């Protein structure tokens, strides 16, 4: 069986690595892939923004299944194009992916189905924003409506700051069309968690819970990034809370989308804030998170291919998944300057030594390979991911491997999984 994975980040490397363990797959392609993925799959040139080009590519490669990693091709309708041709593809349609591509759609949808989410207002002009801000007490969150690659959210400490951030989004200079409409939202306090579920349009199967680390510096300081690390343990939430989240968030979303004629198949990522008054949804994503996919794949012991096929065929079940009880931790190593501007082309040393650390797997994001060496080619460079007998063990292995890697300007957070370790120490 031939499988094509679309994308080029750490998430796609983790998916390729996991799919490669499936005994039924005889050929794996990744488009466009990266330096690390090239050691596990055949990488083919592609532009994930160009759906017509991807259709042509799939016409040539003729895969039995295509797996879409990033949100952009999903929101541009790649699944609809493949479905129209009868080609098997894993992911939601363009209409279903609106849960991620339009924050105002997602907020209004949650309101229609009583899914807990912070109070909000949708604004399409400076004046509307000024009026809306009268209803909120700072701090207040200002979000671009469209896709903004993690750069469309500002937590403003004053109404003036919120107005300035909103006006910058409207101007189009910062985010193009993504900011032509914005959502203003009450700022919540609490611990965040990511709950990913797989759906076949009707049934919902939760994956293991994760927590990610969005800010660039330790102690959640500095600007937001695409994600500086993530970890997964069974202790992030207990079984009772997991059932609650599935019953009050994931299931109503899937049922609501079906009722509205936009059946949702694939991965639904629910970004949740656990507040003192209960959980609330901050965002939905229509695909695996990156880096969350990396610890999730490290803990998955069942066949990812079987689960994806079951989702497409409308027969998803919890029986499709088996998980290791061992925690997994992913530390992202980034280029100097990321999430701002950075230089690429830096030689990476120590990759082989790092991979020899027991329980460690390196997922590549922004790397390419030339003459037997790896070089940086993006902001997030490597996801150093480890499994361990317990969380301290997984953390130690991940950082042991990190210490063996060098490239000019590299930086990483030193506190990945700190909240999990604190919870352990507190005996919770
Ligand atoms: P989003 O893309 O909507 O998840 O926002 C990115 C990040 O901004 C989240 O992971 C949170 O850390 C933060 N954030 C978003 N919305 C809120 C909110 N209403 N209250 C507090 N923090 C938020």
């Amino acid at each position: 069986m031939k499988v094509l994975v679309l994308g080029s980040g750490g998430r796609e490397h983790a998916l390729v690595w996991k799919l490669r363990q499936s005994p039924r797959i005889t050929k794996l392609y990744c488009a466009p892939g990266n330096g690390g993925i090239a050691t596990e799959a055949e990488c083919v040139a592609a532009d994930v923004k160009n759906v017509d080009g991807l259709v042509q590519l799939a016409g040539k490669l003729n895969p039995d299944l295509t797996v879409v990693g990033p949100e952009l091709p999903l929101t541009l309708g790649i699944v609809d194009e493949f479905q129209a041709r009868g080609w098997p593809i894993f992911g939601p349609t363009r209409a279903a992916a609106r849960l991620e591509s339009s924050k105002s759609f997602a907020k209004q949808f949650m309101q229609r189905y009583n899914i807990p989410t912070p109070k909000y207002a949708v604004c399409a002009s400076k004046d509307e924003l000024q009026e809306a801000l009268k209803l909120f007490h700072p701090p207040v969150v200002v979000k671009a409506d469209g896709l903004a690659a993690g750069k469309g959210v500002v937590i403003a400490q004053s109404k003036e700051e919120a107005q300035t951030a909103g006006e910058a989004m409207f101007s189009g200079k910062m985010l193009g069309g993504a900011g032509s409409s914005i959502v203003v939202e009450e700022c919540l306090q609490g611990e965040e968690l990511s709950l990913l579920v797989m759906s076949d349009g009707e049934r919902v199967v939760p994956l293991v819970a994760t927590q990610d680390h969005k800010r660039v510096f330790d102690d959640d300081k500095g600007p937001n990034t695409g994600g500086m690390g993530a970890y997964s343990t069974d202790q992030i939430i207990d079984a009772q809370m997991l059932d609650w989240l599935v019953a009050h968030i994931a299931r109503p979303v899937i049922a609501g989308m079906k009722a509205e004629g936009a059946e949702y198949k694939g991965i639904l990522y629910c970004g949740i804030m656990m507040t003192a008054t209960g959980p609330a949804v901050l965002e939905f994503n229509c695909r695996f998170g990156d880096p969350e996919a990396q610890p999730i794949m490290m803990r998955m012991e069942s066949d990812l291919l079987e689960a994806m096929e079951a989702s497409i065929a409308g027969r998803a079940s919890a029986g499709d998944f088996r998980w290791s009880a061992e925690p997994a931790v992913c530390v992202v190593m980034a280029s100097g300057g990321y999430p701002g501007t950075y230089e690429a082309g830096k030689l990476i040393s120590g990759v082989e030594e790092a991979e020899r650390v027991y329980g460690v797997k390196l997922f590549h994001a922004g790397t390419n390979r030339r003459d037997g060496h790896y070089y940086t080619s993006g902001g997030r460079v490597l996801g150093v991911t480890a499994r361990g007998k317990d969380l301290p063990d997984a953390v130690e292995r991940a950082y042991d491997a990190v210490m063996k890697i060098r490239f000019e300007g590299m930086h990483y957070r030193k506190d990945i999984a700190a909240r999990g370790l604190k919870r352990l120490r507190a005996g919770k």
Side-chain angles (χ1 to χ4, degrees), residues 103 118 141 143 153 155 185-188 192 214 224 273 282-283:
K103 288 198 188 280
V141 186
K143 298 183 176 184
V153 176
I155 299 181
E185 197 176 88
E186 177 192 3
C187 186
L188 300 184
E192 281 184 63
K214 284 211 167 68
N224 265 340
M273 182 78 91
L282 299 184
E283 67 165 335

Side-chain angles (χ1 to χ4, degrees), residues 118-129:
K119 186 177 106 178
Y120 75 101
V122 178
C123 311
S125 69
K126 288 182 194 177
D127 293 344
E128 279 181 30
L129 174 60

Side-chain angles (χ1 to χ4, degrees), residues 94-308:
R94 178 189 193 132
R98 284 183 76 202
L99 282 174
E100 174 164 4
S101 64
S102 169
K103 288 198 188 280
S104 58
F105 171 80
K107 295 294 287 190
Q108 287 152 358
F109 176 89
M110 286 189 270
Q111 200 171 23
R112 286 199 287 285
Y113 294 93
N114 287 321
I115 295 165
T117 190
K119 186 177 106 178
Y120 75 101
V122 178
C123 311
S125 69
K126 288 182 194 177
D127 293 344
E128 279 181 30
L129 174 60
Q130 204 160 23
E131 277 308 300
L133 285 172
K134 292 183 182 155
L135 307 171
F136 291 85
H137 298 290
V140 58
V141 186
V142 181
K143 298 183 176 184
D145 191 46
L147 292 186
K151 299 188 185 83
V153 176
V154 174
I155 299 181
Q157 298 305 324
S158 67
K159 292 193 182 189
E160 293 69 37
E161 192 188 342
Q163 184 76 28
T164 309
E167 288 183 14
M169 289 178 189
F170 285 137
S171 76
K173 282 192 200 116
M174 216 168 77
L175 302 167
S180 58
S181 158
I182 64 174
V183 170
V184 180
E185 197 176 88
E186 177 192 3
C187 186
L188 300 184
Q189 305 295 328
E191 217 178 284
E192 281 184 63
L193 72 88
S194 310
L195 177 66
L196 281 71
V197 300
M198 193 177 278
S199 178
D200 61 2
E202 199 166 323
R203 279 163 285 260
V204 169
V205 184
L207 313 189
V208 284
T210 56
Q211 280 192 312
D212 76 345
H213 301 65
K214 284 211 167 68
R215 305 291 198 96
V216 66
F217 301 127
D218 288 3
D219 299 322
D220 293 329
K221 302 235 161 63
N224 265 340
T225 68
M228 293 300 289
Y231 74 102
S232 173
T233 73
D234 285 343
Q235 282 69 48
I236 290 176
I237 41 172
D238 61 25
Q240 209 181 345
M241 179 52 81
L242 179 64
D243 286 348
W244 194 97
L245 296 175
V246 169
H248 293 86
I249 295 172
R251 253 194 232 119
V253 172
I254 300 301
M257 292 303 281
K258 188 171 175 157
E260 297 194 2
E263 191 182 56
Y264 193 106
K265 285 186 178 200
I267 293 292
L268 174 71
Y269 172 127
C270 311
I272 295 168
M273 182 78 91
M274 307 298 277
T275 76
T277 53
V281 176
L282 299 184
E283 67 165 335
F284 292 119
N285 293 329
C286 59
R287 34 75 197 180
F288 281 103
D290 188 358
E292 292 91 332
Q294 303 175 45
I296 291 175
M297 290 304 127
M298 284 293 270
R299 293 191 65 198
M300 187 183 287
E301 296 204 318
S302 46
D303 189 335
L304 178 61
L305 172 69
E306 303 280 339
M308 288 177 162

Side-chain angles (χ1 to χ4, degrees), residues 4 52-63 82 85 87:
L4 167 64
D52 289 342
L54 296 172
V55 168
Q56 275 178 22
L57 179 69
K60 259 196 290 183
L61 300 177
N62 200 19
F82 275 51
R85 291 167 175 78
W87 298 348

